[in-house]
Amino acid sequence: MSLKRISTVLTLSVCIGLLTACGQNEEPGAIPPSTTASPEATSDTATTEATAAPEANAESTEPYEVVAEELRAPWVIAFSGDVIYVSEREGNVVQIDGEQRTRQTVNLTKSVQGVGESGFLGFLLAPDFEQSQQAYAYHTYEEDGKMLNRVVQLKFTGESWDETYALLEGIPGAYNHDGGRMAYGPDKLLYITTGDAQQPELSQDKGSLAGKILRMTLDGKVPADNPFPDSYVYSYGHRNPQGLAWTDKGVMLVTEHGPSGSPGGHDEINVIEPGGNYGWPNVYGNQTGSGLIPPVYHTGEPAIAPSGAAIDGQNRMLIATLAGSALYRYDPATKDMSVVFDGEGRLRDVKMKDGRVYVITNNTDGRGNPSNTDDRLLIVNGLK
């Protein structure tokens, strides 16, 4: 497969007004038809050829290398040794092992509700996955006429991913603003982002799980040192956070979508403190108020719709963006935000492995302009 060249990487400030409004901040656009995966679905396993990932020490003069193509609205990149797993919003996991790509069904006790921004979102392999074959997932479902989200544990059978039990259910959900990112913290606990479910007032309600960052043990219990007694809530006042990452000093950074419409933009990077209130919907951008924690960075009017995030070897934050259609890099030391890779459309997630940067495009999610090979898993070359 020949490699496509893209334009020379640009370095520019997020505040430059050349970026289009966040579509607006990922509000309804051209949305694909509803996709609902049956809890009793038969395994739709299909194996096709994919480009093998190059060796970690290989050097390339090309801007990027293609690892896999024809993914369906992918959401998460996960690694187990040399095997790569990518979750798809409709309710599948794609296994990429060398030159083989296998689409595997996720069998859940409650069907995936995939409309708008909802669906099968967060996916995380257990720390001992190679031995336990367990994973965690976050997905939207419908119950009693309401859209909700849940956190479940899965078991990999070698051909499918089967739900073993639910850790947390009843998280408010909606057509948009479902959050969905999951990550392990330095404390070996599970962190989960939730959106405001298009009900902004819920973000300030500490009794609601919407518009929050949640923290739990790997068996679904509330940690004893959570900031609010008997509550999964770790921080609140969030609109739609979709990226979680920690520096090597243990500083927790989160990316978050700002308001839509007019004004739009004001996407944020926040440093998360236990029990912190990040202000939505009362404030946004550089606005502040008593007891509220302002972002360490916000984009101003241009919207980029930040999604997945990773920390590089120099403690800089790499951010996959949707409306921004680029990979951004934020340096906490200098507060500089710049584009380090663009030209391939919407990007949903970014991960680092063996010093290499992996991204997934998200052009088939209903808002992009997909090519006949989208969506794709890429290795970005030349980032130092």
Side-chain angles (χ1 to χ4, degrees):
M1 179 182 300
S2 63
L3 295 173
K4 176 183 174 184
R5 289 187 176 273
I6 64 170
S7 58
T8 304
V9 171
L10 303 175
T11 302
L12 46 90
S13 166
V14 175
C15 293
I16 293 177
L18 295 179
L19 294 174
T20 57
C22 197
Q24 286 276 339
N25 278 50
E26 303 310 292
E27 291 305 324
I31 302 298
S34 170
T35 303
T36 304
S38 166
E40 304 298 330
T42 342
S43 177
D44 174 23
T45 303
T47 304
T48 59
E49 289 190 357
T51 303
E55 296 296 327
N57 60 358
E59 293 184 4
S60 174
T61 58
E62 298 293 339
Y64 66 84
E65 300 159 49
V66 179
V67 180
E69 298 180 333
E70 298 181 7
L71 303 170
R72 305 171 187 167
W75 230 83
V76 171
I77 308 165
F79 298 97
S80 176
D82 293 330
V83 180
I84 305 171
Y85 296 94
V86 176
S87 70
E88 295 180 317
R89 204 173 63 188
E90 65 185 25
N92 298 312
V93 172
V94 177
Q95 182 188 71
I96 302 160
D97 188 358
E99 297 184 356
Q100 297 299 314
R101 185 193 70 187
T102 308
R103 179 165 284 110
Q104 299 159 338
T105 299
V106 180
N107 296 311
L108 299 159
T109 60
K110 298 181 180 182
S111 299
V112 172
Q113 183 71 18
V115 294
E117 296 169 6
S118 67
F120 187 74
L121 306 177
F123 178 73
L124 198 59
L125 301 179
D128 63 347
F129 173 73
E130 292 186 8
Q131 291 74 41
S132 70
Q133 298 293 284
Q134 291 181 334
Y136 298 90
Y138 178 102
H139 79 91
T140 315
Y141 66 105
E142 187 174 351
E143 191 167 82
D144 298 327
K146 296 180 180 179
M147 290 182 68
L148 301 166
N149 292 292
R150 62 201 293 258
V151 180
V152 299
Q153 189 177 80
L154 305 173
K155 178 86 170 182
F156 183 46
T157 68
E159 295 183 350
S160 65
W161 301 78
D162 299 343
E163 180 182 331
T164 51
Y165 67 93
L167 281 75
L168 178 62
E169 298 185 309
I171 301 168
Y175 195 89
N176 294 322
H177 302 185
D178 289 282
R181 193 65 59 184
M182 307 170 73
Y184 301 117
D187 53 12
K188 304 187 186 312
L189 295 175
L190 180 58
Y191 290 77
I192 304 125
T193 73
T194 70
D196 68 7
Q198 297 181 263
Q199 300 178 71
E201 68 280 1
L202 295 182
S203 294
Q204 288 295 316
D205 179 359
K206 293 192 288 290
S208 170
L209 297 176
K212 308 295 190 296
I213 293 171
L214 309 180
R215 180 177 184 247
M216 65 172 63
T217 65
L218 300 191
D219 57 358
K221 294 183 174 59
V222 175
D225 61 347
N226 266 13
F228 305 109
D230 302 317
S231 172
Y232 291 107
V233 174
Y234 191 71
S235 64
Y236 65 108
H238 300 287
R239 183 176 182 266
N240 193 20
Q242 288 192 4
L244 282 171
W246 285 261
T247 70
D248 62 7
K249 304 297 184 186
V251 176
M252 183 180 179
L253 295 167
V254 168
T255 64
E256 183 164 351
H257 291 203
S260 302
S262 182
H266 299 286
D267 299 320
E268 297 179 355
I269 299 173
N270 285 296
V271 172
I272 302 302
E273 299 177 9
N277 182 354
Y278 291 82
W280 179 256
N282 300 329
V283 300
Y284 59 85
N286 59 5
Q287 298 174 348
T288 190
S290 178
L292 306 180
I293 302 174
V296 293
Y297 191 93
H298 75 95
T299 63
E301 287 291 334
I304 60 173
S307 190
I311 300 295
D312 71 10
Q314 299 181 50
N315 266 329
R316 299 171 301 187
M317 191 181 201
L318 297 172
I319 306 166
T321 71
L322 299 161
S325 296
L327 181 66
Y328 282 75
R329 184 165 62 199
Y330 171 71
D331 188 336
T334 64
K335 310 296 184 186
D336 177 64
M337 178 86 98
S338 59
V339 172
V340 294
F341 176 75
D342 69 352
E344 300 308 310
R346 297 161 62 82
L347 303 179
R348 175 63 73 176
D349 196 18
V350 55
K351 289 288 193 303
M352 293 198 67
K353 183 177 187 294
D354 299 329
R356 309 204 73 184
V357 178
Y358 292 72
V359 297
I360 43 174
T361 68
N362 213 209
N363 295 317
T364 61
D365 72 346
R367 295 191 173 105
N369 296 300
S371 70
N372 58 6
T373 60
D374 275 326
D375 272 311
R376 294 164 296 148
L377 172 64
L378 309 175
I379 297 175
V380 181
N381 293 320
L383 294 187
K384 297 184 182 299

